[in-house]
Amino acid sequence: MSSLGAQTLYTPEEYLFMERKATLKSEYLSGEILAMSGASRAHNFITLDIATELNIQLRGRDCEVYTGDMRVKVRQSNSYFYPDVVVACGESQFEDNHFDSLLNPVVIIEVLSPSTEIYDRTEKFDYYKQIATLQEYILVSQNKVKVERYRIQGNQWGLNEYHSLQTSLTLSSIGCRLPLSDVYRRVKLN
């Protein structure tokens, strides 16, 4: 007869204390600490090229671009995530004076990995929807030209899909355009 071990749940404060000393990143969801896996070469290229392009386009404007090391807190659920790219506009708001847990993202971009794709599309998106400032959520495939843009319209999230290297993704909330040829320029596609 086997028995299941008791699951240890952590408070948000315990998570932050451990996370700020950790050498590897973890996300926090409903008391559980979830270890993050490493990213592929294609994932890194796409993330870096998107962040670079947004940073250039937003230069001199009242927005900041962060990459995978900026944690985002979903206040309503006391959950913490590390999006691949996140943009905040106006004055960036943080949970505390460590300035490492962003509260007011406008755009969140996730580059999909085989191990996290379903989670990014469903449960994680459900948490992100709780962020009042979030206006656009972007999912980027790393194996084929496929970008999905979810945008809040009233109280509904609308979806637009992009499948051609000749098209551009328009991020209307921040006034930026991402040519898919630039997003995928260094990736070998299937």
Side-chain angles (χ1 to χ4, degrees):
M1 182 164 143
S2 66
S3 64
L4 295 174
Q7 183 176 3
T8 303
L9 297 179
Y10 298 90
T11 66
E13 296 77 21
E14 290 170 325
Y15 161 74
L16 284 174
F17 178 79
M18 291 185 288
E19 185 69 7
R20 287 175 174 151
K21 293 179 182 232
T23 56
L24 300 174
K25 294 187 298 189
S26 297
E27 295 184 332
Y28 176 83
L29 183 60
S30 303
E32 292 183 61
I33 295 176
L34 309 169
M36 295 182 67
S37 60
S40 70
R41 183 173 188 231
H43 187 285
N44 278 293
F45 282 153
I46 292 169
T47 300
L48 181 59
D49 289 341
I50 289 171
T52 299
E53 186 62 33
L54 291 177
N55 199 44
I56 290 167
Q57 290 184 40
L58 292 170
R59 188 172 288 143
R61 294 177 40 203
D62 196 20
C63 295
E64 296 176 339
V65 179
Y66 301 99
T67 56
D69 287 327
M70 177 54 71
R71 191 171 38 248
V72 169
K73 180 180 184 182
V74 179
R75 292 187 230 197
Q76 294 84 339
S77 59
N78 269 332
S79 299
Y80 297 85
F81 302 98
Y82 286 97
D84 292 312
V85 180
V86 62
V87 179
C89 294
E91 184 175 337
S92 291
Q93 299 170 13
F94 297 94
E95 180 175 32
D96 55 30
N97 63 0
H98 287 273
F99 304 105
D100 59 1
S101 296
L102 183 69
L103 300 174
N104 63 328
V106 174
V107 175
I108 291 178
I109 300 171
E110 295 284 6
V111 178
L112 300 173
S113 298
S115 62
T116 64
E117 180 173 356
I118 293 171
Y119 176 63
D120 287 345
R121 290 181 179 287
T122 57
E123 190 173 357
K124 188 184 266 191
F125 187 26
D126 287 339
Y127 280 98
Y128 284 156
K129 287 176 188 175
Q130 298 174 26
I131 302 171
T133 58
L134 186 63
Q135 295 178 37
E136 293 180 282
Y137 180 54
I138 313 302
L139 297 173
V140 182
S141 173
Q142 63 177 302
N143 301 318
K144 61 184 174 185
V145 179
K146 184 176 182 184
V147 176
E148 298 160 78
R149 175 183 152 234
Y150 293 88
R151 185 169 74 99
I152 190 75
Q153 299 167 319
N155 60 359
Q156 296 290 319
W157 286 88
L159 170 64
N160 294 95
E161 291 189 21
Y162 304 83
H163 299 278
S164 169
L165 290 175
Q166 286 70 47
T167 60
S168 293
L169 166 66
T170 300
L171 298 169
S172 54
S173 62
I174 57 174
C176 291
R177 234 179 101 254
L178 290 173
L180 295 197
S181 58
D182 289 345
V183 170
Y184 289 102
R185 71 183 180 86
R186 297 191 286 167
V187 177
K188 292 182 182 180
L189 301 167
N190 294 337

